[in-house]
Amino acid sequence: MTYVAQPASVGMIMGKVLLALGLGIAAYVIYFGPAILVSLTLASLAALACEALVLRLRGYVIAPFLKDGSALVTAWLLALSMPPLAPWWLVVAGTAFAIVVAKHLYGGLGNNLFNPAMAGYVLLLVSFPSHMTQWPAAEMLAHAHLSLLDAAIYIFTGHLPAGVTLDAITMATPLDMLKTQLKLGHTVNEVTRAPLYGYLGGRGSEVIAAAWLVGGLILLKQRVITWHVPVAMLAALFAAALWFHVYDPDRYVAPWFHLATGGAMLGAFFIATDPVTGPTTPMGKLIFGAAIGLLVYLIRTFGGYPDGVAFAVLIMNMAVPLIDLYTQPRVIGHDSKKSDRS
Amino acid sequence: MRRLYGFPGGVHPPEHKTESSGRPIAPAPLPARLVVPLLQHIGNPAKPVVQPGQKVLKGELIGKADGYISVSVHAPTSGTVRAVEPHPVPHPSGLPALCVVIEADGEERWVEKTPIDYLHLDPSEVRNRLRDMGLAGLGGAVFPTYVKLNPIPERSVPTLVLNGCECEPWITCDDRLMQERAPSIVAGARIMRHLLDAREVIVAIEDNKAEAIAAMREACRDTDFEVVVVPTLYPSGSGKQLIQLLTGREVPSGGRSTDVGVQVFNVGTAHALDRAVNHGEPLISRIVTVTGNVRRPQNFEAPLGMPLAELVTLAGTPREDTTGYIMGGPMMGFDLNSDQVPVVKAMNCVIARSERLFPPLPLPLPCIRCTRCAQVCPVRLQPQDLYWFARAKNFGKAQEHNLFDCIECGCCAYVCPSHIPLVDYYRFAKSEIWAREREKKAADRARERHEFRLQRLEREKKERAEKLAQKAVASKDTAAMPNPDAQAKRAAIQAAIERARAKQAGIEPRNVSQLPPDKLKEIQEIEARRAKLREAMQKQPGDTP
Ligand code: SF4
Ligand code: SF4
């Protein structure tokens, strides 16, 4: 019997994740307006409601599971991956799918094969592509601003304040713009001179990426995550981008741009590190992270979608059992040869 | 300075050592009645050699070692044997075991003490004496000491390690022992070294025991023993981990420490060895830490057989909110289900439980594969996988994933944020596997017995057939000696016998395995008749020209 336990719980771990996300959310609000707060709240409520309902249907005790915070983490990651001005039903549908199907139909906490937030996101992306690409412009680039109330009204009713058009508040994302402009024959250099771009990535979004990075480092320091997945993923993304960039800098954007744009940082520290759907061995985590980094680069550069984090994560989720199987560490007292059974 | 190598994983639970480490070891007063279990070590129980009503002296043999892995048991004081009967003993199973109940006469009259002249006696004789003096490891595993002091000739043990790493929280008996009786420990180590013919002696002590380190350094001053201070990290006191920490060598899976040239003894064992060899005192008492929810936590030198209830009152009248007692530490110990169990050689610590000190753990949640358990596992197992397999009763898989390399240290359970009692699952899986193995062995034995019997019947049948055939041949021979065909006939008969034999060998009576003995006998008789018939028929073609 072990009579003592470290004062740690699943709820505390999830709580730390939520706290670490706070920094990036603050940056999000500063650079893109308060609309994200509406969708975060909406997703949270939807997730808790779905979780409670399904737990009830499955005959589980509700309170301890609801308090574990895993539903909230899923909700936040999904909301942070979606355009903040997406209509309310889109958020609710995505969250419901994430919780009910991706999480509970696979057995609930700890048993799901796919990252629930990313499963929800991909479902929305393929089902409602037009809604999922309506991204707000950064505050300094937008021609109009939405207050928290305006944003809430738009999300719930689809009505904008008088005199404001959708075009005035939305814009292509840096990755999107880069892709379309490159197709039109422009060089990377020409494209990234546009006001949409900042020093490293998209204007505003590079700061948010930095905030995710800091939040991730906090999680590392707190030992909520290990370094393997984020380092491997970012390194692979960087290396792939560097290779192509050196090969043809006019057609392939610089590696740091990839790190500072889109879902790279959020994905590396908060999404790909989901313990439930990731590998458990140190070596497995490195392989898993590196493969995601590589896939993100390939999807961004050659694929049909502007960002690839969600697809890369889901694809690699499927490989996890195999990765774990082949990366079992050598047990103390056993030969270095694999799987001796004496 | 010796280079330390470290081992993977490990945890650092709150130590709770100061509660009991500040006070000196106190001798426990003699109880009126002692209950001495005949099995206090790993291996076979000792055979009782006393009768109820018999008077015994302190240190007199009451149970004789039985078998190779066994040691003797002695009367902890002088008095009268009242009973030899089953009694509750401190064991996780809670099953009673055979004990010798002694009523003390209060006189503490010793048997004649005969020290062992280990330097001049034959080593095997010394070992036998140690077995007969009841020496077993006092670190908690209670392995017979004499067995460990018997190096296999072709495998020398160049390194002797004295384990002073009391890494479990709360326990301080070794700490106090090193502080107060360091010279005796060193004397014991000398004997060990002599018997093992070890090249070097290392005394390993965790760095949270400054006084013990100082005392042992002082006692080792005139020797070439090396006192090595190791970092405080659970489970550095576990044999294999300590060896890895000190030498960088890994004890092979399923192997022993001697496979890497190291033998590890607890410091308490060294002390007991000194008492036995240099003073002629068999092992009849030990130091026990009494701590936890008691008023005056302290270490006591308690006679084996002392009832737990009496021992714990030495640390003050029990507090009202005490909910029970843990034997051993909070990481690997177990609940004692009665306060009437006796002190035994394995009892290094008794912790009084209370809700305040050991709050019940929250409801276990599902495993979230966070791998914290894997990060702290000193054996580098994947506890979350083992848990999964054990839960799914997938024991084969669990074994494939090296379940039996788990040392049950509890590090994984300690850090699990889902509060899953991981070690309980591993114990369950191990015991299931053992049970199945036992069943299989029993079935194998039954089958072997059965097959052996069939073979015997077969053989007898054949022998009978042969005899008959020979007789027939013999009668033919005498009757038809002048017959020129005799040779050919003989060959033909021989061939027929050969054929019959081959045929019989080919027919394995598989379908009779489930029948009761009387049916088998019937079948056998029928078979015998048939065999005769067959022979008769085979003879005919040879007879007719
Ligand atoms: S520590 Fe607990 S929850 Fe985490 S992987 Fe291990 S068993 Fe699962
Ligand atoms: S109890 Fe077993 S699995 Fe758990 S940490 Fe210790 S050795 Fe590893």
Side-chain angles (χ1 to χ4, degrees):
Chain A
M1 281 273 306
T2 317
Y3 294 90
V4 283
Q6 229 170 26
S9 67
V10 178
M12 277 164 66
I13 291 177
M14 299 294 171
K16 283 178 182 173
V17 174
L18 295 177
L19 279 178
L21 281 170
L23 211 59
I25 293 171
Y28 212 122
V29 172
I30 292 170
Y31 284 92
F32 288 90
I36 186 71
L37 297 178
V38 180
S39 55
L40 277 172
T41 313
L42 196 58
S44 302
L45 294 177
L48 290 178
C50 289
E51 179 93 0
L53 185 76
V54 184
L55 285 172
R56 175 95 192 254
L57 288 177
R58 297 179 69 200
Y60 277 79
V61 278
I62 296 176
F65 280 93
L66 215 50
K67 273 192 253 161
D68 70 28
S70 59
L72 280 183
V73 170
T74 298
W76 286 28
L77 291 177
L78 175 60
L80 289 172
S81 309
M82 292 176 64
L85 287 172
W88 67 271
W89 53 267
L90 203 62
V91 178
V92 172
T95 315
F97 180 80
I99 299 287
V100 177
V101 177
K103 183 175 178 183
H104 280 285
L105 286 192
Y106 278 94
L109 178 68
N111 291 311
N112 41 310
L113 180 61
F114 294 105
N115 185 311
M118 292 302 99
Y121 170 81
V122 164
L123 174 86
L124 298 182
L125 189 65
V126 297
S127 313
F128 309 97
S130 60
H131 283 106
M132 288 298 284
T133 43
Q134 237 170 54
W135 289 88
E139 293 266 281
M140 51 283 213
L141 302 173
H143 301 295
H145 302 284
L146 290 185
S147 69
L148 187 63
L149 188 66
D150 289 343
I153 291 173
Y154 178 68
I155 289 169
F156 280 99
T157 67
H159 290 303
L160 285 169
V164 178
T165 61
L166 200 58
D167 279 349
I169 53 166
T170 60
M171 207 174 225
T173 65
L175 279 169
D176 227 355
M177 168 111 147
L178 182 72
K179 201 162 203 168
T180 43
Q181 293 295 316
L182 285 176
K183 273 217 192 89
L184 294 175
H186 299 283
T187 66
V188 164
N189 216 337
E190 287 162 9
V191 182
T192 52
R193 253 179 304 186
L196 178 61
Y197 295 94
Y199 298 103
L200 293 175
R203 213 144 144 209
S205 61
E206 57 191 5
V207 180
I208 298 175
W212 298 139
L213 172 65
V214 175
L217 293 178
I218 293 173
L219 288 189
L220 259 179
K221 181 95 208 308
Q222 289 281 313
R223 294 174 175 244
V224 171
I225 58 172
T226 61
W227 59 270
H228 305 79
V229 170
V231 167
M233 173 175 160
L234 295 177
L237 178 57
F238 188 91
L242 183 69
W243 204 75
F244 280 94
H245 182 66
V246 168
Y247 171 69
D248 186 352
D250 280 346
R251 278 174 54 209
Y252 300 103
V253 71
W256 41 90
F257 176 89
H258 276 285
L259 298 192
T261 315
M265 283 294 166
L266 184 67
F269 287 100
F270 293 91
I271 297 172
T273 49
D274 171 32
V276 175
T277 56
T280 51
T281 62
M283 191 55 179
K285 287 177 185 177
L286 288 176
I287 295 172
F288 179 78
I292 290 177
L294 205 63
L295 283 173
V296 168
Y297 185 78
L298 294 177
I299 296 171
R300 279 181 177 182
T301 312
F302 308 106
Y305 290 92
D307 200 354
V309 172
F311 288 106
V313 167
L314 291 182
I315 290 170
M316 288 315 293
N317 282 164
M318 287 189 278
V320 162
L322 208 64
I323 294 176
D324 274 344
L325 186 66
Y326 284 105
T327 56
Q328 290 289 315
R330 184 184 67 84
V331 172
I332 296 292
H334 284 256
D335 293 342
S336 44
K337 274 182 269 118
K338 254 204 67 73
S339 72
D340 52 326
R341 263 152 224 175
S342 54
Chain B
M1 268 306 282
R2 173 172 285 271
R3 167 166 174 223
L4 293 178
Y5 295 82
F7 57 86
V11 293
H12 194 171
E15 293 177 17
H16 288 289
K17 300 274 197 185
T18 48
E19 283 89 337
S20 57
S21 64
R23 294 189 190 86
I25 298 168
L30 188 66
R33 227 172 74 106
L34 295 114
V35 179
V36 190
L38 287 161
L39 179 60
Q40 299 188 40
H41 48 265
I42 286 179
N44 297 338
K47 268 207 190 104
V49 294
V50 287
Q51 311 283 325
Q54 186 178 333
K55 288 228 180 318
V56 288
L57 295 174
K58 184 171 182 173
E60 191 175 326
L61 187 76
I62 56 175
K64 199 164 164 31
D66 183 23
Y68 182 57
I69 312 281
S70 183
V71 294
S72 298
V73 176
H74 305 80
T77 185
S78 58
T80 314
V81 174
R82 282 295 165 223
V84 181
E85 62 187 16
H87 206 275
V89 292
H91 190 270
S93 74
L95 293 174
L98 200 59
C99 298
V100 176
V101 182
I102 297 172
E103 200 174 271
D105 58 14
E107 290 171 25
E108 297 265 45
R109 264 181 302 126
W110 270 95
V111 287
E112 195 193 334
K113 298 186 197 175
T114 39
I116 305 169
D117 183 10
Y118 71 97
L119 289 173
H120 300 104
L121 275 175
D122 181 58
S124 76
E125 172 63 18
V126 177
R127 281 190 287 271
N128 287 345
R129 296 277 297 277
L130 295 179
R131 178 195 61 205
D132 296 339
M133 292 189 101
L135 288 197
L138 296 180
V142 281
F143 197 82
T145 304
Y146 87 98
V147 180
K148 276 172 78 175
L149 285 171
N150 191 2
I152 305 154
E154 67 271 21
R155 198 174 288 152
S156 70
V157 182
T159 306
L160 166 64
V161 174
L162 278 202
N163 187 352
C165 298
E166 213 162 23
C167 59
E168 275 249 20
W170 295 99
I171 310 178
T172 59
C173 58
D174 291 345
D175 183 8
R176 282 309 315 186
L177 188 76
M178 287 188 283
Q179 289 183 40
E180 297 179 30
R181 304 184 195 174
S184 164
I185 295 171
V186 172
R190 277 210 182 88
I191 303 163
M192 291 170 170
R193 176 195 223 170
H194 174 79
L195 289 175
L196 288 173
D197 201 16
R199 212 170 44 231
E200 57 174 353
V201 181
I202 302 171
V203 186
I205 309 175
E206 279 188 304
D207 60 11
N208 59 353
K209 304 173 187 59
E211 288 95 342
I213 294 167
M216 288 303 290
R217 283 235 160 97
E218 172 66 26
C220 291
R221 220 177 29 195
D222 301 328
T223 66
D224 59 350
F225 297 2
E226 193 184 348
V227 176
V228 177
V229 180
V230 306
T232 299
L233 179 71
Y234 179 84
S236 53
S238 166
K240 291 182 180 180
Q241 277 61 44
L242 185 58
I243 290 171
Q244 197 180 356
L245 178 65
L246 292 174
T247 67
R249 274 169 266 169
E250 297 174 14
V251 178
S253 170
R256 293 186 203 164
S257 67
T258 44
D259 294 344
V260 290
V262 186
Q263 192 64 286
V264 184
F265 289 94
N266 173 264
V267 287
T269 313
H271 170 248
L273 196 63
D274 170 51
R275 296 310 303 172
V277 173
N278 296 328
H279 304 269
E281 294 174 6
L283 183 55
I284 52 170
S285 69
R286 70 153 299 146
I287 320 277
V288 189
T289 307
V290 182
T291 183
N293 195 40
V294 293
R295 288 171 214 276
R296 281 187 310 281
Q298 192 170 357
N299 283 286
F300 298 97
E301 174 147 26
L304 303 177
M306 179 177 201
L308 178 71
E310 281 183 57
L311 176 70
V312 293
T313 48
L314 297 178
T317 44
R319 289 186 201 271
E320 300 68 41
D321 59 337
T322 299
T323 51
Y325 298 97
I326 301 168
M327 173 162 146
M331 298 294 287
M332 297 182 76
F334 59 91
D335 268 313
L336 292 172
N337 33 28
S338 150
D339 64 357
Q340 288 310 308
V341 296
V343 171
V344 289
K345 291 172 188 175
M347 191 181 279
N348 51 0
C349 180
V350 175
I351 308 175
R353 282 181 81 169
S354 74
E355 297 258 313
R356 183 178 55 83
L357 290 175
F358 301 96
L361 299 179
L363 199 78
L365 283 177
C367 166
I368 55 167
R369 292 170 42 99
C370 67
T371 66
R372 286 165 179 235
C373 48
Q375 289 164 36
V376 297
C377 178
V379 191
R380 225 187 269 125
L381 295 169
Q382 296 285 305
Q384 76 282 350
D385 292 344
L386 293 178
Y387 159 67
W388 181 259
F389 298 137
R391 228 178 97 113
K393 302 220 167 79
N394 200 341
F395 300 123
K397 269 267 189 250
Q399 230 171 322
E400 252 172 56
H401 283 72
N402 305 310
L403 171 69
F404 283 95
D405 284 293
C406 168
I407 57 166
E408 300 183 12
C409 64
C411 290
C412 50
Y414 177 71
V415 297
C416 177
S418 287
H419 304 292
I420 302 169
L422 293 163
V423 184
D424 293 4
Y425 279 96
Y426 308 148
R427 289 215 182 119
F428 162 72
K430 284 183 188 175
S431 65
E432 282 295 296
I433 293 168
W434 281 324
R436 276 170 202 203
E437 211 105 289
R438 266 200 304 278
E439 260 164 46
K440 195 175 155 285
K441 265 203 199 115
D444 279 351
R445 259 203 302 279
R447 206 191 53 239
E448 264 163 36
R449 265 204 303 274
H450 180 72
E451 270 166 12
F452 183 74
R453 190 170 164 259
L454 289 180
Q455 255 170 27
R456 182 169 52 86
L457 295 181
E458 192 82 354
R459 200 187 57 229
E460 283 170 6
K461 219 180 331 177
K462 245 183 266 165
E463 279 166 5
R464 227 173 306 139
E466 251 165 73
K467 245 186 236 150
L468 272 174
Q470 260 160 20
K471 231 192 237 160
V473 171
S475 61
K476 281 268 151 55
D477 277 356
T478 43
M481 205 38 125
N483 194 330
D485 292 342
Q487 292 289 329
K489 261 185 200 167
R490 216 172 174 166
I493 289 162
Q494 198 55 42
I497 293 169
E498 227 55 270
R499 266 203 306 280
R501 221 183 265 170
K503 209 167 178 182
Q504 264 169 353
I507 304 163
E508 279 260 10
R510 288 239 181 259
N511 55 339
V512 297
S513 56
Q514 299 297 330
L515 295 177
D518 50 344
K519 272 269 176 295
L520 278 173
K521 199 160 164 232
E522 211 174 290
I523 290 173
Q524 201 183 307
E525 278 161 6
I526 295 170
E527 276 290 323
R529 277 204 298 278
R530 272 198 199 134
K532 254 187 232 155
L533 261 176
R534 267 201 297 271
E535 261 157 44
M537 302 225 318
Q538 274 157 2
K539 256 185 259 161
Q540 274 162 10
D543 272 351
T544 44

